[in-house]
Amino acid sequence: MSAIVVKNLVKEYGSVRALNGISLTVEEGEFFCLLGPNGAGKTTFIKVITGQTRGRGHVRVLGVDPMRDPVEVRRRTGIVPETESVPTYLTPWEYLYLVCRIRGVEDAEDRVERYIREFDLREYEDRLCKELSKGTRQRLMIAAAFIHDPPLVVLDEPFINLDPLYQRKFSRYFLKKVDEGTTLLMCTHIIEIAQKLCRRFAVIYRGQVRAMIEDGEDVESAFLRAVGYDAEDLSD
Ligand code: ATP
């Protein structure tokens, strides 16, 4: 079964048409990347497929329609949002525990302990989230997205605020999760990292899929072509 099937998806914010007939399929177990310039519609696409906002068109996520049953889609999906949004007055330990309880993890305390250790959060576990650095908050958001072992995780700019060491660590972590069978959908502007991790890419521009890029192609050139630039024009 495909993890995500989207056909002719349209989303309007007032007079702004953010998604203009997107069609896209992501297979189970793949690490799929959405590329696109600022304002192309990537975050809006993620919001619709994860049931955070409604659009028009055919959408199935793990076989569920997020417009009819957004709670079920979010139960089975992990989300790392573009702007980190940890609850400021909880500690990392409390936040992860809350996510485990809401998502029905049976061994919640043990699970939190494991993720605190694996995500290098031990020294911050009793501090308030609002006191953490941006990178530490991002690590916590990633931990929270994976902690209930969802079959699908959606990553909106997951490397933002991460130093090069953690960019490497999380690159490896994401690949390990894909090896284990998790489906990952990522939006990023960091083509260099995406090219190392993903096998298929969709370029979104003005609310539409303008190109599909397969493994082996030069992703940056294909991206620039799809959004109407010639790579030669941008060289010094
Ligand atoms: P970026 O790479 O800059 O994060 P994006 O590809 O994620 O961009 P979106 O955030 O999905 O793009 O925005 C797509 C379009 O929808 C833009 O024109 C944006 O201004 C508009 N838009 C997004 N959210 C809203 C909103 N809540 N209300 C009105 N317009 C919105």
Side-chain angles (χ1 to χ4, degrees), residues 13 16 18 36-45 47 82 189:
Y13 296 107
V16 176
N38 293 132
K42 304 176 299 294
T43 298
T44 302
F45 180 82
K47 284 185 177 162
E82 185 181 25
H189 291 298

Side-chain angles (χ1 to χ4, degrees), residues 40 42 75 94 99 154 182 195 203 224 228 231:
K42 304 176 299 294
R75 194 179 69 75
E94 289 169 336
V99 174
V154 177
T182 309
Q195 183 141 28
V203 180
L224 291 171

Side-chain angles (χ1 to χ4, degrees), residues 19-174:
L19 300 178
N20 190 18
I22 283 204
S23 298
L24 194 63
T25 300
V26 176
E27 300 303 336
E28 272 186 357
E30 76 172 330
F31 194 162
F32 191 95
C33 184
L34 289 184
L35 300 170
N38 293 132
K42 304 176 299 294
T43 298
T44 302
F45 180 82
I46 283 179
K47 284 185 177 162
V48 176
I49 65 165
T50 54
Q52 299 177 64
T53 190
R54 298 172 63 83
R56 293 196 310 276
H58 174 89
V59 183
R60 292 290 179 275
V61 176
L62 304 170
V64 180
D65 180 348
M67 295 188 247
R68 278 176 181 268
D69 199 348
V71 174
E72 178 60 13
V73 169
R74 287 198 294 273
R75 194 179 69 75
R76 296 163 63 181
T77 308
I79 306 167
V80 177
E82 185 181 25
T83 45
E84 100 276 337
S85 54
V86 284
T88 49
Y89 286 98
L90 294 181
T91 66
W93 204 100
E94 289 169 336
Y95 176 46
L96 293 178
Y97 185 71
L98 184 71
V99 174
C100 284
R101 294 305 300 267
I102 290 169
R103 299 297 177 215
V105 174
E106 282 180 5
D107 56 339
E109 291 195 19
D110 291 348
R111 189 75 66 96
V112 172
E113 282 298 313
R114 176 152 72 82
Y115 273 71
I116 289 277
R117 189 175 63 245
E118 286 180 2
F119 283 71
D120 299 339
L121 293 166
R122 182 66 70 203
E123 66 179 292
Y124 312 102
E125 65 181 337
D126 294 325
R127 300 250 296 266
L128 290 179
C129 289
K130 68 174 182 164
E131 295 169 1
L132 304 179
S133 73
K134 291 196 284 286
T136 308
R137 283 203 293 250
Q138 185 67 6
R139 293 210 307 276
L140 178 58
M141 292 304 294
I142 297 172
F146 283 93
I147 198 163
H148 61 295
D149 270 337
L152 169 68
V153 179
V154 177
L155 308 159
D156 199 350
E157 292 292 352
F159 297 104
I160 201 160
N161 295 320
L162 294 181
D163 66 33
L165 175 71
Y166 279 110
Q167 288 183 8
R168 279 183 78 112
K169 262 188 119 160
F170 281 109
S171 293
R172 272 198 232 122
Y173 181 77
F174 296 152

